[in-house]
Amino acid sequence: ETMSDKEGYSADIERALKYIALNYPQPLTLEGVADHCNLSATYFSRKFKLITGQTFKEHLNYIRLRQAKQMLCTTDNTVTKIAMLCGFGSSNYFKDVFKADVGISPREYRKKSGCRPPSPAHRLIQKKSGSTPAGALPFFVHFTRTARICQKCG
């Protein structure tokens, strides 16, 4: 495959980004994702940074934090449960990464953002209908072939 820096597109990295977006709750490693893309870890790491502007770990944490922020606003799950659902190995690591990125703790974020978790009645309807709460939907990265993959596709 020929990678075009001008286009900022790579099928390998697109495949990796999709894989990360779908599997972020699982314990992902750079080596495992590189293997999924049939690339060496060293080459994958360099290529990923070149195309996305982020290291693998920065991007993985970005995806996980984005989902965690959504869940803080749309569920009444504990911070620890949200950390686990979003793929963080421990709630302490999650809190540290969250505070470094956002500037406040997840609990403070929930309070200050004015988020309202679903009411008990809404949760009951979700359970009966079997619908998935908005906070549990996977984050999907948007791709283009003509522009660099943005760091925050928000």
Side-chain angles (χ1 to χ4, degrees):
E1 173 195 358
T2 303
M3 183 173 67
S4 171
D5 293 336
K6 290 179 183 176
E7 291 182 9
Y9 172 79
S10 164
D12 294 332
I13 299 306
E14 181 176 346
R15 183 173 184 201
L17 289 169
K18 286 179 182 177
Y19 184 78
I20 293 165
L22 292 171
N23 295 285
Y24 69 88
Q26 308 306 315
L28 297 178
T29 63
L30 180 131
E31 292 78 11
V33 177
D35 187 54
H36 177 77
C37 296
N38 298 312
L39 300 173
S40 75
T42 304
Y43 180 68
F44 171 76
S45 180
R46 281 195 306 251
K47 191 173 184 181
F48 192 92
K49 172 81 173 175
L50 178 67
I51 296 295
T52 67
Q54 295 176 306
T55 65
F56 167 78
K57 192 67 168 177
E58 288 169 343
H59 183 73
L60 180 59
N61 282 338
Y62 166 74
I63 298 298
R64 288 175 171 168
L65 285 173
R66 181 177 170 133
Q67 187 65 23
K69 289 175 194 174
Q70 184 181 11
M71 291 180 81
L72 285 166
C73 288
T74 59
T75 74
D76 59 356
N77 290 337
T78 65
V79 170
T80 299
K81 183 166 185 172
I82 290 171
M84 297 302 118
L85 290 171
C86 291
F88 288 96
S90 80
S91 60
N92 286 335
Y93 177 64
F94 167 63
K95 291 171 191 174
D96 290 344
V97 171
F98 193 97
K99 189 162 188 172
D101 182 70
V102 181
I104 57 176
S105 73
R107 183 169 277 118
E108 290 172 300
Y109 178 85
R110 183 178 256 169
K111 287 179 189 173
K112 290 184 177 182
S113 65
C115 300
R116 298 271 186 248
S119 69
H122 186 256
R123 283 193 306 275
L124 181 62
I125 291 168
Q126 285 176 334
K127 284 182 185 177
K128 287 185 177 183
S129 70
S131 66
T132 305
L137 294 176
F139 166 74
F140 291 97
V141 180
H142 301 283
F143 304 99
T144 67
R145 292 180 182 251
T146 56
R148 274 201 169 276
I149 297 170
C150 64
Q151 290 185 16
K152 295 192 177 185
C153 297

